[in-house]
Amino acid sequence: STRSWQTRTVLSGEDGSPENPATPIATGLFPSVTELNGVLYIAAYDGLSGQLILVSGTAGGILDSTVLVSGETRSGIAGAGDVGAHVVIAPTSDGHLGLAWIDGVAGTVAYGRINPRAGDDQLTLMSAPEIVALGRQDTPPRLIGADLTLAYRGNGDPLIAYQDQTNGNLLLATRGNAGWTQTVVSQIGVSGFSPVLFVEPEGTWIVHGVLRSEQSTISERVDVRAVPF
């Protein structure tokens, strides 16, 4: 059988910046999509305004967009925000939506939840964003959060894997009663490229890319790592 594909515009940016009109504005970077109860949810980073955007609706119906986290609010300077890069969205076990993203203003990895059943005109975070990892606020400061991936354990606790760009490590953040804990999962070469979490009854695994330098030769490989709990 043959299926026809339909393409829809979810977010529209300007054709170009004042400095370089030929360069498209970076609207809709790092898109992450999930489905819950027949509704599509697309989270993305608006590189022009530095904001975290959420689009929701049905595939053939109206798609509405809202600003979940305003970059301008975080920076205090209009147009100078940087919130939402590497965003990822996933449904929780209790019918909510969880999101993780980089707060570029604070230099942290953040996490929040949405209740799609709240009936609000605009979807909003259920509470203030949680700080998952300190990053630039840590001692010593580090760049963290590239290629975020989000999943949930059987008890509903979130798991967030990401790359520590400064040290080239793969990290896993877990949340328990005492808050968030960060664990180094892999220190092989430069680890943590495009990680993906798999949570199964038999255990939890992270698949990620690794770069290694051996005898002046750079090699690439995909590493599968079991995560003990």
Side-chain angles (χ1 to χ4, degrees), residues 11 24-30 44-53 79-85:
L11 292 171
I25 293 297
T27 299
L29 293 174
F30 310 108
Y45 171 63
D46 185 338
L48 176 60
S49 62
Q51 300 182 133
L52 175 56
I53 307 294
D82 183 13
V83 178

Side-chain angles (χ1 to χ4, degrees), residues 105-221:
V105 177
T108 60
V109 172
Y111 171 81
R113 293 196 306 159
I114 300 168
N115 182 4
R117 301 168 296 183
D120 298 334
D121 292 336
Q122 287 189 327
L123 295 170
T124 58
L125 294 177
M126 297 170 63
S127 59
E130 302 175 26
I131 297 178
V132 175
L134 292 174
R136 287 205 316 267
Q137 299 182 23
D138 208 346
T139 304
R142 294 172 296 129
L143 290 176
I144 61 171
D147 296 333
L148 289 164
T149 181
L150 169 66
Y152 290 89
R153 301 171 65 176
N155 63 1
D157 287 341
L159 305 170
I160 300 174
Y162 57 94
Q163 186 186 57
D164 176 344
Q165 300 100 285
T166 298
N167 297 306
N169 297 332
L170 172 65
L171 274 72
L172 178 69
T174 58
R175 190 181 67 180
N177 295 331
W180 289 92
T181 301
Q182 300 79 33
T183 303
V184 176
V185 177
S186 175
Q187 295 176 292
I188 301 173
V190 182
S191 299
F193 291 100
S194 304
V196 179
L197 275 163
F198 292 93
V199 180
E200 302 292 342
E202 298 80 12
T204 300
W205 292 266
I206 304 179
V207 180
H208 66 110
V210 176
L211 291 179
R212 299 189 68 178
S213 178
E214 298 176 334
Q215 298 179 350
S216 301
T217 300
I218 297 177
S219 62
E220 304 175 15
R221 80 179 199 190

